[in-house]
Amino acid sequence: MVHVQPQIDLANYQSADNDFAHLSLRNLIEARDLFHIHLMRHPNVVATAIGRYRIRKSDSWPNDRRQRHDSGPRRLDNSEVRPYSWPCILVFVSQWEDPRQFASRPSDMLQKTVFMPDGSRVPICVLEAPKESITPVEARDYNYPINNIGPGSAIIANVQGQPYAATVGCLVSDGHKIFALTNRHVTGEAGEVVSSVLNGATERIGVASAKQLTRLPFSTIYPNFTVQDTYINLDIGLIDIDDIANWTTKVRGLGAVGPMADFSSVNLSLSLVGCQVRGVGAASGTMFGEIHGLFYRYKTGGGFEYVADLFIGPRTSGQVSRQAPLPKFATHPGDSGTMWMLEPAKPAGTATPTGDQCLPLALQWGRNMLYSADKAPPQSFALATLMSRVCAILEVDPVRDWNIDQDDTWGALGHFSIAARTLVALSGNFPKLKSLMENNARIVSHDEGTLQKGEFSGMGSQEFVPLADVPDFFWKPRVAKQGFARPLEGSNHFADMDQEGPDGKTLLDLTKNPANIDPKKWSAYYDGVTDLLSGEPIKEDRRGLLPFRVWQIFDEMCAFAGDGEAEKFVCAAGVLAHYVADACQPLHISYLHDGDPLRPIEHVFSSGKKAGQSEMRPSGQGIHSAYEDKMVFAHRVDILNGLKQTAKVKKAELIGTGREAAVETIKMMRSVFKLMPPAKMVQTYIDVGKGGKAATDALWAAYGQKTIRAMQDGTHLLALLWESAWNVGNGERNITRRSALTRKEAMDIVKDPNFLPSTTIGKIGALLK
C-alpha cells in the first residue's frame, strides 16, 4: 500500500487548531525554553526546533495489516511528517546511539518526553543530523538578469574588497518609494553601493537603505510567547533602487505571485510544519523544499540563544508512489535573500501550482549543512525569517505587480518576431523550403502565444535557445551561461555606420561605392577613428562588422543547401534572423546606440562610496533599453500584427552571392537611417526628461509605425536571403528532409565553434567567398 501525505489545506494554514494533538505552539515553545539547558548538556545534541514527530518511512501506517517499526537511526531524509504526527520538540544529535548503550548511564539518555510543571507531557523526537564542520564554498554560475532585475536575480555587493553575490527576494514599498528586499549582510551599511550584471556588464542598481534589521529579542517579534535570553535572527536589508524602470516584480520562472502569507504570534501554528515551499535563488535556481521545523536554535553565545523562524529542507513526502523521485533540493552561497513561497495544498502528482497560488512566506538568510546517510554528502538546509513580521516592523508591503512591469527580454521580442514572420514573406516559389522552415518554426523562434506574451526569460541559462537568439544567449560572452560563449562574437552584432572618420566620411558614405564593402577598407577606416568618450583607439573587438557577418552566413547557407545538409541550413537560417534583425534597428547601426557621446553630461553620485564624485555620460543614455526593449515589448501586439503585412519576395529580387547579401543589408541600413534618424530619436528621449513609461510612450508616438516599417524591411530581407541561398544551392533538389529538428540536434550544431565561426573585422575576410 502506498501512503501519500496530504498537505494542510490552505484555508487552515493560519489556524491555530491542530487535528492531531492537544499541545499548542505556545506549549512547545515554553517546554523547549524550560528544558533547553538540560537538552543541550547532552554531548551529542547540536540543535533543537519545534515541529511534529517524524515517522520513519519504513515504519508501517496504523491501518497496515503488517506492523513494522524500525529502531535504527532516524534522520530527516529517512523520515516524514504524517497526518497523525503529534507536536514535539525536535532534537538534533551528532550521532545516533542504541538505547542499550545507556544501560549503565541512563541519565545520559535523551528521554522520550519532558514533564511540564502543570503535569502535561511534551514529546521529544530525536534525529541524527550532525553538522558539517567545514562548509564547502562552491563556484556557482549566478543568474544575473539580462535587463530587468527581479525576484531570484543575482546582485553584487563588495565586502572588504571582494564581490559577494546574493539574491533579490522581492520588491516592497513604504507607500512613497519602492525597495528591493534582500539580506542586510549583503547590502551592508546605509549608502553602500549594490550592483548587478546587466547585459553582461556590472552596473550599479542602488544603495543600501537605512531601513534594515539584524536581530531582535524573541519576545519583541512574538509578544505572545515568553522566552528568555533568545534572539530571532532577521538579517533584512533594503536596496534603495536607482531606476525602478529596470525592475520587474515577477518571480523568475513563476511570474506574479499571490498575496503575502500573514503570520504572527496570534495565528502561527504547527500546521506549517510539513508544508511544501519553493524558492528561486540566484545560485541554485528553483528549489523545492519542505518546512521541517519552527524556531530552529542554531547557535549559542554569551548566554544567548539564536533562533531562525523556519528550518527548510528537502521534501520528504508528496510523491505519487515510493518509486517516484522527489524534487531535488540544495541551497548554495549566493541564495541569501531568496524569497520562499508557500505552495497550496494539492493531491500528490497534480499540476505544478501557478504563480498566483504561491504565497510569499519567508526570506532566506543562511544555511546549515547537516550529514544524512553514512556515505551521503552533507545536506543543505535553509534558514529563513517570516516576511510578514519583517514587513510589519519595517512598515513596508510587498509589491506584487504594476502596470510598467516588463519581462526579461533584452530585445528578444524583435529578433523572434522577425524570425517568425519571415514565413509570411516567403514567395512560395520554393515549396520544399517553405515546408522545411514552417516545420522548424519553433526551433527558430517561438509559438504565437509566447510571442504575444513575450515570456522569454531564462534563455541565458537554458539548454535550448531558439535559433534566432543563439547569438545573444548562447554565443555572446558574459550573457551565455551554457559553456559555449564565443569571445569574438560581440562585434558581429553592430556597425556604427554614421560615425565620421578623419576625413569626415562615414561608413554610409564609403559604401555608396560597393567596392568599399571590403573588410580591409573597413579596418583602415577603424584605424582612423577613436572612441568618442575616451578618445582611445577602437579595439578590435569593438569594430562592428554586421554586414560581413550576413555575407559569411549567406555563403555557408548556399553550401549547406548544395550539400543537402538540411539541419545546418535550418540552423544557419535561424541564426541569420538575429543579425538581420539587428541590422534593421537604428540603435544597432549607429554610434548614438545609447545616447550622444559628443554631448556628454556630468553625472554626480548622490550617495554611496562615490557620493560627491562625478563621471561623464552620453546625453540620452538609456534610450537603447527604452526603445528596443521596453517600447517594443509594450507594443508587441501592434508590431506582430504589422509584420503580418510584410511583402512577399519576388523572383526578380533573388541574389546569388554573399557580397550581394552585404550590399542588400547596407541598403536596408541606409533606409532605416532615413526613416528614423538616430540623432532625432536621442533628442526625443532627452526631451521627455525621464525614463519609464513616459519615455516609452514618447518613442512609440514618434517612431512606432516607422519601427514596424523598418522591421518589415528586415523580415523581407531575411526571407530574400533564405530563398536566395536555397536557390543558389538548389535546395529543392539536394535537400530531402522536411521534418523539424529536435532541440538536441539544433543545439549540437550551434555548440560547435566551427559552425559559422565568430571573428573580427580583421580576420573575417578569410571566411568570405
Side-chain angles (χ1 to χ4, degrees):
M1 182 183 296
V2 175
H3 296 278
V4 178
Q5 176 201 340
Q7 279 198 267
I8 306 301
D9 185 75
L10 253 181
N12 294 323
Y13 272 158
Q14 300 178 12
S15 170
D17 297 330
N18 190 305
D19 295 333
F20 314 117
H22 62 280
L23 293 170
S24 68
L25 181 58
R26 178 198 295 272
N27 296 146
L28 295 175
I29 291 173
E30 291 176 352
R32 199 262 300 265
D33 194 52
L34 183 62
F35 288 95
H36 194 255
I37 295 177
H38 169 69
L39 294 173
M40 294 301 294
R41 74 174 180 82
H42 290 269
N44 281 350
V45 175
V46 295
T48 64
I50 304 301
R52 295 166 66 199
Y53 208 94
R54 300 185 66 87
I55 314 296
R56 295 178 184 85
K57 295 178 182 178
S58 59
D59 287 355
S60 59
W61 286 59
N63 295 328
D64 285 353
R65 188 169 298 175
R66 294 183 57 188
Q67 293 293 302
R68 302 177 306 277
H69 298 286
D70 192 358
S71 60
R74 181 192 292 108
R75 303 184 303 270
L76 287 168
D77 63 332
N78 71 359
S79 65
E80 61 188 358
V81 174
R82 293 181 178 176
Y84 56 87
S85 292
W86 51 87
C88 70
I89 298 173
L90 300 175
V91 177
F92 300 88
V93 297
S94 59
Q95 182 178 351
W96 183 274
E97 296 190 21
D98 191 296
R100 290 172 294 185
Q101 296 178 357
F102 295 95
S104 61
R105 47 188 178 92
S107 62
D108 289 343
M109 182 176 176
L110 283 167
Q111 60 268 52
K112 294 182 178 180
T113 58
V114 293
F115 291 84
M116 296 295 288
D118 62 2
S120 62
R121 297 188 304 164
V122 176
I124 289 179
C125 179
V126 180
L127 295 160
E128 183 183 53
K131 288 187 177 181
E132 169 69 358
S133 58
I134 300 176
T135 300
V137 179
E138 307 92 335
R140 307 295 301 175
D141 284 330
Y142 297 114
N143 176 62
Y144 290 113
I146 301 166
N147 73 316
N148 286 303
I149 317 165
S153 296
I155 53 175
I156 304 170
N158 283 306
V159 181
Q160 295 180 324
Q162 298 297 318
Y164 186 95
T167 301
V168 175
C170 67
L171 298 186
V172 295
S173 174
D174 63 0
H176 174 63
K177 298 182 72 173
I178 292 176
F179 304 87
L181 183 67
T182 185
N183 291 152
R184 190 266 176 197
H185 77 261
V186 176
T187 59
E189 299 292 338
E192 293 284 335
V193 174
V194 183
S195 305
S196 188
V197 177
L198 305 175
N199 190 5
T202 301
E203 294 185 18
R204 165 183 155 144
I205 59 173
V207 297
S209 169
K211 289 186 174 184
Q212 52 184 236
L213 301 171
T214 54
R215 65 178 189 180
L216 284 172
F218 192 100
S219 57
T220 300
I221 306 295
Y222 300 102
N224 286 15
F225 303 138
T226 303
V227 176
Q228 302 296 320
D229 300 328
T230 300
Y231 283 104
I232 289 281
N233 191 64
L234 300 172
D235 195 7
I236 300 299
L238 297 180
I239 302 171
D240 194 341
I241 294 170
D242 286 343
D243 185 358
I244 197 63
N246 293 329
W247 289 75
T248 176
T249 58
K250 295 179 180 178
V251 178
R252 180 165 55 93
L254 194 61
V257 296
M260 181 175 62
D262 189 8
F263 288 103
S264 68
S265 57
V266 175
N267 64 354
L268 186 62
S269 77
L270 286 166
S271 61
L272 272 177
V273 177
C275 289
Q276 294 183 350
V277 291
R278 75 166 59 190
V280 180
S284 303
T286 301
M287 299 176 283
F288 299 92
E290 178 182 314
I291 299 174
H292 290 292
L294 307 179
F295 303 132
Y296 176 75
R297 293 203 185 200
Y298 64 93
K299 186 177 74 170
T300 299
F304 293 95
E305 305 289 340
Y306 294 85
V307 173
D309 282 342
L310 300 182
F311 182 62
I312 300 170
R315 294 184 179 180
T316 56
S317 61
Q319 70 267 48
V320 177
S321 69
R322 297 196 187 278
Q323 288 73 39
L326 289 163
K328 292 184 178 180
F329 172 91
T331 183
H332 301 87
D335 290 330
S336 293
T338 295
M339 177 175 66
W340 285 92
M341 295 158 283
L342 192 62
E343 290 191 352
K346 63 185 188 301
T350 57
T352 301
T354 57
D356 59 355
Q357 293 177 308
C358 296
L359 310 184
L361 174 69
L363 204 73
Q364 178 176 334
W365 52 262
R367 71 169 184 170
N368 262 187
M369 299 294 293
L370 303 179
Y371 283 112
S372 50
D374 292 339
K375 295 183 180 180
Q379 173 63 57
S380 58
F381 292 83
L383 307 181
T385 299
L386 287 171
M387 282 179 53
S388 55
R389 303 306 300 139
V390 165
C391 290
I393 296 169
L394 291 176
E395 298 182 333
V396 295
D397 294 302
V399 180
R400 295 172 53 202
D401 207 350
W402 53 31
N403 60 1
I404 62 168
D405 216 358
Q406 303 272 348
D407 275 284
D408 201 9
T409 58
W410 185 32
L413 186 77
H415 297 124
F416 288 138
S417 298
I418 287 174
R421 292 295 187 258
T422 300
L423 297 173
V424 172
L426 293 177
S427 66
N429 294 326
F430 304 97
K432 292 181 179 179
L433 168 66
K434 190 167 186 177
S435 176
L436 177 65
M437 298 312 295
E438 284 178 344
N439 290 338
N440 281 280
R442 293 195 182 184
I443 294 294
V444 172
S445 183
H446 286 278
D447 62 89
E448 187 68 19
T450 301
L451 291 172
Q452 295 280 344
K453 293 179 181 178
E455 295 178 348
F456 314 128
S457 61
M459 290 183 294
S461 58
Q462 293 177 355
E463 292 182 1
F464 172 74
V465 176
L467 294 168
D469 246 356
V470 159
D472 268 353
F473 294 103
F474 207 75
W475 290 344
K476 211 166 192 180
R478 298 178 298 180
V479 176
K481 298 295 183 183
Q482 300 92 341
F484 302 96
R486 300 179 174 187
L488 301 180
E489 172 62 25
S491 58
N492 290 268
H493 294 244
F494 69 96
D496 292 343
M497 302 295 291
D498 55 350
Q499 182 175 348
E500 293 184 356
D503 57 359
K505 290 186 177 181
T506 66
L507 288 173
L508 285 173
D509 296 327
L510 292 174
T511 53
K512 288 178 181 178
N513 180 356
N516 289 329
I517 305 177
D518 182 326
K520 292 182 180 179
K521 294 184 178 182
W522 280 44
S523 289
Y525 159 81
Y526 281 123
D527 288 339
V529 297
T530 60
D531 183 278
L532 292 174
L533 271 180
S534 68
E536 299 292 326
I538 297 179
K539 296 179 179 179
E540 186 74 5
D541 63 353
R542 296 303 303 163
R543 298 182 173 196
L545 54 92
L546 181 53
F548 299 103
R549 183 61 162 163
V550 175
W551 179 343
Q552 174 197 2
I553 295 174
F554 183 86
D555 285 343
E556 293 292 339
M557 288 176 64
C558 294
F560 294 148
D563 294 339
E565 296 184 274
E567 297 80 8
K568 290 185 177 179
F569 183 91
V570 169
C571 288
V575 165
L576 181 60
H578 187 95
Y579 301 104
V580 172
D582 284 344
C584 71
Q585 292 298 322
L587 299 181
H588 263 277
I589 55 177
S590 171
Y591 75 93
L592 300 165
H593 60 90
D594 197 27
D596 188 349
L598 294 177
R599 294 189 291 161
I601 58 174
E602 184 179 21
H603 173 78
V604 180
F605 293 93
S606 59
S607 58
K609 291 182 178 179
K610 290 187 177 181
Q613 300 180 34
S614 64
E615 67 179 16
M616 301 306 293
R617 295 180 177 180
S619 56
Q621 188 176 62
I623 185 176
H624 193 109
S625 176
Y627 172 74
E628 187 173 333
D629 296 329
K630 295 179 172 60
M631 188 202 79
V632 170
F633 183 86
H635 297 277
R636 57 194 180 278
V637 175
D638 295 320
I639 292 172
L640 287 165
N641 290 337
L643 292 183
K644 289 181 179 179
Q645 310 307 315
T646 302
K648 292 185 180 298
V649 174
K650 297 177 181 178
K651 193 170 184 179
E653 294 179 280
L654 295 180
I655 60 174
T657 68
R659 169 179 286 280
E660 289 178 281
V663 169
E664 292 298 320
T665 301
I666 294 173
K667 184 188 299 183
M668 180 184 67
M669 290 176 166
R670 204 178 303 279
S671 67
V672 169
F673 273 105
K674 291 181 180 178
L675 191 63
M676 293 180 285
K680 288 188 177 180
M681 295 180 69
V682 170
Q683 191 58 50
T684 299
Y685 183 76
I686 292 172
D687 290 343
V688 175
K690 57 182 178 180
K693 190 174 185 299
T696 298
D697 290 345
L699 289 170
W700 179 257
Y703 307 106
Q705 295 306 311
K706 294 178 180 179
T707 295
I708 293 175
R709 286 168 55 190
M711 293 177 71
Q712 287 174 339
D713 289 347
T715 304
H716 183 84
L717 175 60
L718 182 60
L720 171 64
L721 297 176
W722 284 3
E723 290 200 3
S724 296
W726 185 267
N727 183 54
V728 171
N730 200 353
E732 291 290 298
R733 182 190 67 187
N734 295 325
I735 290 182
T736 59
R737 177 169 179 169
R738 301 291 177 270
S739 61
L741 278 64
T742 65
R743 290 183 169 191
K744 185 177 185 304
E745 283 181 305
M747 292 298 100
D748 283 346
I749 289 173
V750 299
K751 286 176 183 177
D752 185 355
N754 295 315
F755 175 73
L756 312 179
S758 306
T759 188
T760 62
I761 189 68
K763 296 180 180 179
I764 197 169
L767 302 176
L768 305 180
K769 298 174 184 178

